[in-house]
Amino acid sequence: MRILVLTQGVPDLVEGLEVASDGVSLDQDWLKYVLNDFDDHALEEALQLKADGGVEVVAVSLETDGSRDILFTCLAKGADRAVLVPGDWFGTDNHQKAKALVSLVKAIAPDLVLTGVQAPADADGQVGVLLAGNLRWAHVTTVKEVRLAEGKATVVKELEGGTGARYQVALPAVLGIQAARVPPRYVPVSKVRQAMKTGQLEEMEAPPEGDTVLQARKLYPPPSGERAAMLEGDADTVAGELVRILREKGIGRLAG
Amino acid sequence: MSDEIWVLAEFVGDQVAQASSEALGAAKRSAEAGGRRVVAVVLGRDGGDPALRSLGAADTVLTVQDPGLKDFSPALHVRVLEALLSDRKPRLVLMGNTAAGLELGPDLSARLGSPLIAYCRNLEFSGDTVVGTTQLYGGKLLLEVETAAAQVLAMVAAGSFPAVTEERDVLVEAIASPVSLADPETVFLGLEVAETADVDITQADVLISVGRGIGDAGNISLAEELAEALGGVVSASRPVVDQGWLTKSRQVGKSGKTVKPKLYLAAGISGAPEHLEGMRDADLIVAINTDAAAPIFEVADYGVVGDCTEILPALTEAVSSQG
Amino acid sequence: MSAVKAKAIELESAIVEGMDIGGSWSRMLESRVLESYDFEQIDRLKAIPGAESLAYCFQCAKCTGVCPADRVGDFSPRKIFRRVQTGTNLMESPDLWTCTTCINCTRVCPKEVKMAEIMPAIREEAVLAGEAPAELQKAFADTQKYGNPMGESPRKRADWTAKAGVTVPIISKEKKPVDLLWYVECHYSYHPRGKDAAVALARVLDALGADFAILGHEEKCAGEDMRLGGEKGLFELLAEQNVATLGKYQFQQLLVTDPHAFNAFRHFYPAYGGDYDVVHYSQYLAPKLSGISFPRKLSRRVTFHDPCYLGRHNGEYEAPRQVLQAIPGIQLVEMERCRENSSCCGGGGGGMYLDGFLANFQRERLSEVRVKEAVATGAEILVVACPYEVSRFEDAVKSTGNDGKLKVLDLSEILAEAMGLLDN
């Protein structure tokens, strides 16, 4: 059983995001790319399946700043292979990515593709289900648990309100992972560095395909018309002010 | 070009789901502006099903009667909708940005070559062009996009359009499935029995809700102390639950609980759209976050830019000293 | 805490180095049962490079008397050795994360059992096995991602300078050598109370006419807690990056505010090519204050907490006291345990990121113990010289019910106050 984990480097939201002078894209000067949090869960779920037995994990990443680090981290965490898809993927949309990945996925020939349920900038849809659509493969997304048995996957899909729905999924399939069954593992830097010394990154070409389907007109921060009234001062001042407000509104024990 | 705007309707029990009512709201707005018709599309319900009355906001209802579609199956629903959309070519297809919508939107878009606008916050026609606004980077930025494609799909983000509900006998077109439903690639097996919860956060008047900004599991006690002082309960955003710091039963948001307390105090929660979905209707929202640009401040009534591990203890003390 | 007790082997007689010690030969003793232990655990630990000295322990228990962790729980180097000897797997025991590497034990140990070497060595194995407490792993992950354990934005590292009210030059923009390159470190850069101290020190440096600059967003965590917490690879990565950054600039001295970073720069960075003239800010300030005319008298009774990594680890006890004594009006009173016997605040050796974990095993926090000692001196102000301590002790002042009785100030804050630099 082979599992392909599709990972993406995404802009780190800890940094303030600024709009570039073209008005439709992000200013890249300060952008730092990190592994998409949900992809980290997808990798973890794949590694859990590997621990269950009989699974080979192939991590794939579309090249961005930091994608080599991401792939070596995947290797250090326990992926068996790591594949870099070279190119400048900044500015390509998910439709283009998904189309480009079709031939690559067929070449790697996994039984299952796991990827994060979403990424921070899925303007035109989430890449996992788009990929499944292009491959005409089965898919389930918002998945929080995957089990494999007898050539099929049984998954728990998370519905609104957190209820789980169980599905049996014929393989090959693409699963969008909402959360792994355990929190993603921390991998010590020395293991990552070890992987950098001894591990191999394979490179497989998959140039973007097709035109951007949605034309960007304007990228902008949400209007801040109805923002919160901001309280200022040190912790004690703010606390005092809040207590006054809560009393006024009759909240909890401060009522009456 | 077709003048139909379709809404892929979901139900909770026998009532139209909130997400679908909002999608109907979006559809009606676009329809009224351009003289178009709104069709609510239902899979797996009989033409005489009284539940269809709750779709009265639509001009007509199209239902595919096969009982094999009643339980949501990504593969089967895509099969049927792909056939219907290719055949009838509606101009615009709206669905909620929901657990089901996330299966349908991207797959149909890839199969049909029709563009998809995800996390759609706004949508309108400008002549023959569809202009939509999508929400990116956890709500920190909005992107306005346009497309002149003959068919456009959109997944409507919760809370973006007014929900339109109307109960009436609506004209129903009931059809058999246009495609075979044999050998589905995804088979619905059943719902999971919910974990027994240690606490019901939906019943609490006061929620002290912690997010990633709380720093570490040890600091959750700071929220507990405040909750105790105020007579409330601690809840959390998804990252905190995913880390295993609090149980799933305390999670607020899209994949957790929707809450409507008298006070929702968000400590170290940046306010991703999925979280806002679960708490924006609280009576009073107070947010504490180190990032002055955090989206939580967009929905909060009162905001404090600061470290919640400093402010929570100060607040606990100030509350306690009120006697 | 599954301490599987080793089964003692009972022998009727034993011959050690040719001598029968069974006792039957002695008219003084009845024949007795001798015990022998399974050495598997201790053998495994002492084979880890750096951890050898754990096996030197001969159970004299001098350490137990001075170990701060034993005061709030059940832990001292002697106790760990004994537990390991009787079969405890330290890798799975909370004992592995209790030591703050304050080395008060090593000060009194006749056998030179070196906890500051043993702990990082053994912890490294646990970290590699993925067994470190989650809070600590999160600090590692954030430091790896952002260069600081709080997970704050690297680009905001120098944001505190906006409130300094004086020019705080960023060396990359200066394009000239400086006398002092100030290594601000994470807690001074990001923690609200740390930033207060950074602002105070910036004003003092400015008032003293020092030719200084900071690295700004190029600075990353020096990594000392990562090293002591067992994430050696992360420490190495940070050291290499910081040495490369520092190598771009010319400066006479590296002025360090955090004693932990100070220790790393003095003793561990040279191995990575970073050999600097390192000075703690108390050491820099002490000789500079004789010519200063203070605009005000601070008639305050103060006590000083010796940071473990300035005092015991680096032998500096005088400089901060000289700074305090230079301030007119200050009455310095010492705590019962001070200087070489100073009691740890609990923040070192990774302890900053283990408070939640350790709360399960300790009756109170080490910072609370220390604050009570400070209160007992009758001091109004507890002065500290380490960025971890202001917040730790302020929390402890509140949690021990001493709010209003004791103020906690960084050395730079009290000095800036006396120099009249905190008036706006």
Short mmCIF file of all heavy atoms in Angstrom, two decimals, chain A residues 145-169:
data_model
loop_
_atom_site.label_atom_id
_atom_site.label_comp_id
_atom_site.label_asym_id
_atom_site.label_seq_id
_atom_site.Cartn_x
_atom_site.Cartn_y
_atom_site.Cartn_z
N GLU A 145 -10.13 10.56 10.62
CA GLU A 145 -9.55 9.25 10.94
C GLU A 145 -9.58 8.37 9.71
O GLU A 145 -10.56 8.39 8.97
CB GLU A 145 -10.35 8.60 12.06
CG GLU A 145 -9.65 7.39 12.66
CD GLU A 145 -10.50 6.74 13.74
OE1 GLU A 145 -11.00 7.46 14.63
OE2 GLU A 145 -10.67 5.52 13.67
N VAL A 146 -8.50 7.64 9.48
CA VAL A 146 -8.43 6.74 8.33
C VAL A 146 -7.98 5.37 8.82
O VAL A 146 -7.04 5.27 9.61
CB VAL A 146 -7.39 7.25 7.30
CG1 VAL A 146 -7.38 6.35 6.06
CG2 VAL A 146 -7.66 8.69 6.89
N ARG A 147 -8.68 4.32 8.36
CA ARG A 147 -8.23 2.95 8.63
C ARG A 147 -8.22 2.20 7.31
O ARG A 147 -9.06 2.46 6.44
CB ARG A 147 -9.17 2.22 9.62
CG ARG A 147 -9.36 2.94 10.93
CD ARG A 147 -8.19 2.75 11.88
NE ARG A 147 -8.36 3.60 13.05
CZ ARG A 147 -7.49 3.70 14.04
NH1 ARG A 147 -6.35 3.01 14.02
NH2 ARG A 147 -7.72 4.49 15.06
N LEU A 148 -7.29 1.29 7.17
CA LEU A 148 -7.19 0.53 5.92
C LEU A 148 -7.45 -0.93 6.21
O LEU A 148 -6.94 -1.48 7.20
CB LEU A 148 -5.78 0.70 5.33
CG LEU A 148 -5.40 2.13 4.94
CD1 LEU A 148 -3.92 2.21 4.60
CD2 LEU A 148 -6.24 2.60 3.77
N ALA A 149 -8.25 -1.56 5.35
CA ALA A 149 -8.46 -2.99 5.46
C ALA A 149 -8.97 -3.53 4.14
O ALA A 149 -9.83 -2.90 3.51
CB ALA A 149 -9.46 -3.31 6.59
N GLU A 150 -8.45 -4.63 3.75
CA GLU A 150 -8.91 -5.36 2.56
C GLU A 150 -9.03 -4.48 1.32
O GLU A 150 -10.06 -4.47 0.64
CB GLU A 150 -10.26 -6.04 2.86
CG GLU A 150 -10.11 -7.18 3.86
CD GLU A 150 -11.39 -7.43 4.63
OE1 GLU A 150 -12.46 -7.01 4.17
OE2 GLU A 150 -11.29 -8.06 5.71
N GLY A 151 -7.99 -3.70 1.09
CA GLY A 151 -7.98 -2.90 -0.13
C GLY A 151 -8.96 -1.75 -0.16
O GLY A 151 -9.23 -1.18 -1.20
N LYS A 152 -9.52 -1.43 1.00
CA LYS A 152 -10.43 -0.28 1.08
C LYS A 152 -10.04 0.58 2.27
O LYS A 152 -9.39 0.10 3.20
CB LYS A 152 -11.87 -0.76 1.24
CG LYS A 152 -12.37 -1.46 -0.01
CD LYS A 152 -13.89 -1.48 -0.07
CE LYS A 152 -14.30 -1.72 -1.50
NZ LYS A 152 -15.37 -2.63 -1.70
N ALA A 153 -10.50 1.82 2.22
CA ALA A 153 -10.29 2.69 3.37
C ALA A 153 -11.62 2.91 4.06
O ALA A 153 -12.66 3.02 3.40
CB ALA A 153 -9.71 4.01 2.92
N THR A 154 -11.59 2.91 5.37
CA THR A 154 -12.76 3.35 6.12
C THR A 154 -12.37 4.65 6.80
O THR A 154 -11.34 4.70 7.48
CB THR A 154 -13.17 2.30 7.17
OG1 THR A 154 -13.33 1.07 6.50
CG2 THR A 154 -14.46 2.70 7.85
N VAL A 155 -13.15 5.67 6.58
CA VAL A 155 -12.77 6.98 7.10
C VAL A 155 -13.91 7.56 7.92
O VAL A 155 -15.07 7.18 7.76
CB VAL A 155 -12.42 7.96 5.95
CG1 VAL A 155 -11.35 7.38 5.05
CG2 VAL A 155 -13.65 8.35 5.15
N VAL A 156 -13.53 8.47 8.80
CA VAL A 156 -14.53 9.25 9.52
C VAL A 156 -14.47 10.68 8.99
O VAL A 156 -13.42 11.32 9.07
CB VAL A 156 -14.30 9.23 11.04
CG1 VAL A 156 -15.37 10.06 11.74
CG2 VAL A 156 -14.31 7.80 11.55
N LYS A 157 -15.57 11.11 8.41
CA LYS A 157 -15.66 12.48 7.90
C LYS A 157 -16.32 13.33 8.96
O LYS A 157 -17.34 12.94 9.53
CB LYS A 157 -16.51 12.48 6.62
CG LYS A 157 -16.82 13.88 6.07
CD LYS A 157 -17.63 13.76 4.77
CE LYS A 157 -18.13 15.13 4.30
NZ LYS A 157 -17.06 16.05 3.90
N GLU A 158 -15.71 14.49 9.22
CA GLU A 158 -16.27 15.36 10.24
C GLU A 158 -17.34 16.25 9.62
O GLU A 158 -17.10 16.94 8.64
CB GLU A 158 -15.17 16.21 10.85
CG GLU A 158 -15.57 16.87 12.12
CD GLU A 158 -14.35 17.34 12.90
OE1 GLU A 158 -13.80 16.54 13.68
OE2 GLU A 158 -13.96 18.50 12.72
N LEU A 159 -18.53 16.22 10.20
CA LEU A 159 -19.63 17.06 9.71
C LEU A 159 -19.75 18.31 10.58
O LEU A 159 -19.07 18.44 11.60
CB LEU A 159 -20.95 16.28 9.76
CG LEU A 159 -20.95 14.93 9.04
CD1 LEU A 159 -22.33 14.27 9.18
CD2 LEU A 159 -20.60 15.09 7.56
N GLU A 160 -20.65 19.21 10.21
CA GLU A 160 -20.89 20.40 11.02
C GLU A 160 -21.23 19.96 12.44
O GLU A 160 -21.97 18.99 12.64
CB GLU A 160 -22.05 21.21 10.43
CG GLU A 160 -21.65 22.11 9.27
CD GLU A 160 -21.31 21.36 7.98
OE1 GLU A 160 -21.77 20.22 7.81
OE2 GLU A 160 -20.56 21.91 7.16
N GLY A 161 -20.69 20.68 13.39
CA GLY A 161 -20.98 20.35 14.78
C GLY A 161 -20.10 19.23 15.31
O GLY A 161 -20.22 18.85 16.47
N GLY A 162 -19.21 18.70 14.47
CA GLY A 162 -18.25 17.73 14.96
C GLY A 162 -18.71 16.28 14.90
O GLY A 162 -17.95 15.37 15.22
N THR A 163 -19.96 16.03 14.48
CA THR A 163 -20.42 14.65 14.35
C THR A 163 -19.58 13.95 13.28
O THR A 163 -19.24 14.55 12.27
CB THR A 163 -21.89 14.60 13.88
OG1 THR A 163 -22.61 15.51 14.68
CG2 THR A 163 -22.47 13.21 14.02
N GLY A 164 -19.29 12.68 13.50
CA GLY A 164 -18.52 11.94 12.51
C GLY A 164 -19.42 11.06 11.67
O GLY A 164 -20.36 10.44 12.17
N ALA A 165 -19.16 11.04 10.35
CA ALA A 165 -19.88 10.12 9.46
C ALA A 165 -18.85 9.13 8.91
O ALA A 165 -17.80 9.53 8.43
CB ALA A 165 -20.54 10.89 8.33
N ARG A 166 -19.17 7.85 9.02
CA ARG A 166 -18.23 6.83 8.52
C ARG A 166 -18.52 6.52 7.06
O ARG A 166 -19.68 6.36 6.67
CB ARG A 166 -18.38 5.53 9.32
CG ARG A 166 -18.14 5.68 10.81
CD ARG A 166 -18.03 4.32 11.47
NE ARG A 166 -16.68 3.80 11.32
CZ ARG A 166 -15.68 4.14 12.14
NH1 ARG A 166 -15.88 4.96 13.14
NH2 ARG A 166 -14.49 3.65 11.94
N TYR A 167 -17.46 6.42 6.30
CA TYR A 167 -17.58 6.05 4.89
C TYR A 167 -16.59 4.94 4.57
O TYR A 167 -15.47 4.92 5.11
CB TYR A 167 -17.27 7.24 3.98
CG TYR A 167 -18.36 8.27 3.95
CD1 TYR A 167 -18.34 9.36 4.82
CD2 TYR A 167 -19.42 8.16 3.05
CE1 TYR A 167 -19.35 10.30 4.81
CE2 TYR A 167 -20.44 9.10 3.03
CZ TYR A 167 -20.40 10.16 3.91
OH TYR A 167 -21.41 11.09 3.89
N GLN A 168 -17.04 4.05 3.67
CA GLN A 168 -16.09 3.12 3.09
C GLN A 168 -15.71 3.70 1.72
O GLN A 168 -16.58 4.14 0.98
CB GLN A 168 -16.72 1.76 2.92
CG GLN A 168 -15.70 0.71 2.55
CD GLN A 168 -16.36 -0.64 2.39
OE1 GLN A 168 -17.18 -0.84 1.49
NE2 GLN A 168 -16.05 -1.55 3.29
N VAL A 169 -14.41 3.72 1.45
CA VAL A 169 -13.93 4.38 0.23
C VAL A 169 -13.14 3.39 -0.61
O VAL A 169 -12.19 2.76 -0.11
CB VAL A 169 -13.02 5.59 0.59
CG1 VAL A 169 -12.68 6.37 -0.66
CG2 VAL A 169 -13.69 6.49 1.62
#
